Amino acid sequence: MLILRPNCELCDKDLPADSDEAMICTYECTFCQSCVENVLDNVCPNCGGGFCHRPIRPVHAHRENVSLAHHPASTERVHTPFTVEQIRAFSQSVKNKHAK
Ligand SMILES: [Zn+2]
Ligand SMILES: [Zn+2]
């Protein structure tokens, strides 16, 4: 099941479960839309993949036992070990590979 992480790995902005700014990669690395667009250049610094908007889990159960209340968002904040400079260099090198 998708872990709904509570913050942007880079700028630490709060990304609540219903946030429309939360972006995830295939490994659920989670960043805010602003960091994805302005710093990451749509390249995940952890895996090199791209991002999509994180789907919003229904707050109220439309089907039995499936809702945010049954499967709450994670409260474990995650922080990237990389600096902005390292992230920009990595995005650039991944993009260059794809450009070939
Ligand atoms: Zn951010
Ligand atoms: Zn990733």
Side-chain angles (χ1 to χ4, degrees), residues 9-92:
E9 271 195 35
L10 183 58
C11 72
D12 200 30
K13 182 185 181 116
D14 286 334
L15 297 171
D18 66 350
S19 172
D20 56 10
E21 292 177 274
M23 310 284 286
I24 55 170
C25 80
T26 189
Y27 290 104
E28 303 179 36
C29 309
T30 306
F31 293 85
C32 73
Q33 189 168 1
S34 164
C35 285
V36 167
E37 289 174 0
N38 302 317
V39 184
L40 276 52
D41 203 13
N42 199 32
V43 174
C44 174
N46 304 313
C47 70
F51 287 91
C52 286
H53 278 280
R54 185 174 69 190
I56 293 179
R57 188 167 297 167
V59 175
H60 303 290
H62 299 287
R63 295 282 192 186
E64 226 175 299
N65 300 329
V66 275
S67 73
L68 192 61
H70 294 91
H71 307 104
S74 165
T75 55
E76 215 171 293
R77 299 181 85 83
V78 177
H79 303 286
T80 182
F82 303 113
T83 65
V84 167
E85 289 70 34
Q86 288 173 323
I87 288 172
R88 285 190 193 279
F90 180 74
S91 297
Q92 206 45 255

